[in-house]
Amino acid sequence: MNAAPEPRFARIAAMIGDPTRSRMLTVLLDGAMLTAGEIARTTDVTPQTASVHLAKLVDAGLVHVRSQGRHRYFKLADGDVAHALEALAVVADRDADARPGRRVWSQDAMRPLRHARTCYGHLAGRLGVQLHDALIAHDAVTLHDDRYRLADGHGRVFDALGFDAARVASSPRGIAYPCVDWSERRDHFAGPLAVALLTHFVDRGWLARIEGSRALRPGPTSHPMFREMLAPRA
């Protein structure tokens, strides 16, 4: 009896399974473009070690590299890689939650990430889920066949936020699509609309990035509609 061929994902799983490379991929999950030196410092490895692992990740199609002048910048290859990593985190987190004393999200270091974080350029965590639910409740977007579209009431909501949703380019998966949130186990938005919204919130100071982390915190300014949508719900 012939042995079954090795699944195509086996090589990718081996790439991700290495502890150093998994830390690198996690660092890149916020969608930023970083140099090898920056990634090395963040993951506490030597520049030489970082370069070796990054070359393997690029070869595997998990990471993209861009040369600009004397520098080379690395980022995740695309949103599919980011969502695969988040999906693996959901499975790993579920396993950790099943063990006594391992409630991952109750740890002090994890609470900011659970509240709000970036995931390949879009908003995730509790605030990401709240934004998802609020835009649907306010008739700004509607879901059809696992893709979100602008709803009839989108102008009222987005105009109040000073955001021109009509300028967001649609991908083959639509302006947005559901992504299971790692910490909340519910959907948040991914895709062009989600990325543009987070950029809008940060640019206006409603949310602020925390240096050296994917976590986000309230910014120096705010907005009534923004506060309403992201207010905790009973």
Side-chain angles (χ1 to χ4, degrees), residues 13-25 53:
M15 281 286 134
I16 297 172
D18 178 87
T20 298
R21 291 193 288 270
S22 66
R23 291 199 301 272
M24 292 178 168
L25 292 169
H53 284 293

Side-chain angles (χ1 to χ4, degrees), residues 82-165:
H83 302 147
L85 295 173
E86 286 273 308
L88 288 172
V90 169
V91 175
D93 188 36
R94 180 179 60 200
D95 179 61
D97 280 352
R99 302 175 191 173
R102 289 289 304 277
R103 302 298 296 184
V104 172
W105 295 106
S106 66
Q107 298 173 14
D108 289 343
M110 298 298 286
R111 286 174 183 166
L113 286 170
R114 181 172 192 179
H115 178 66
R117 64 184 181 274
T118 55
C119 174
Y120 202 65
H122 61 258
L123 180 61
R126 285 176 175 166
L127 292 192
V129 170
Q130 287 171 210
L131 176 67
H132 170 276
D133 294 350
L135 288 180
I136 293 175
H138 283 77
D139 194 32
V141 297
T142 183
L143 180 65
H144 295 281
D145 298 326
D146 290 329
R147 299 180 185 181
Y148 295 99
R149 302 174 183 172
L150 295 179
D152 293 340
H154 79 271
R156 174 183 59 83
V157 177
F158 290 126
D159 287 350
L161 292 169
F163 178 79
D164 185 2

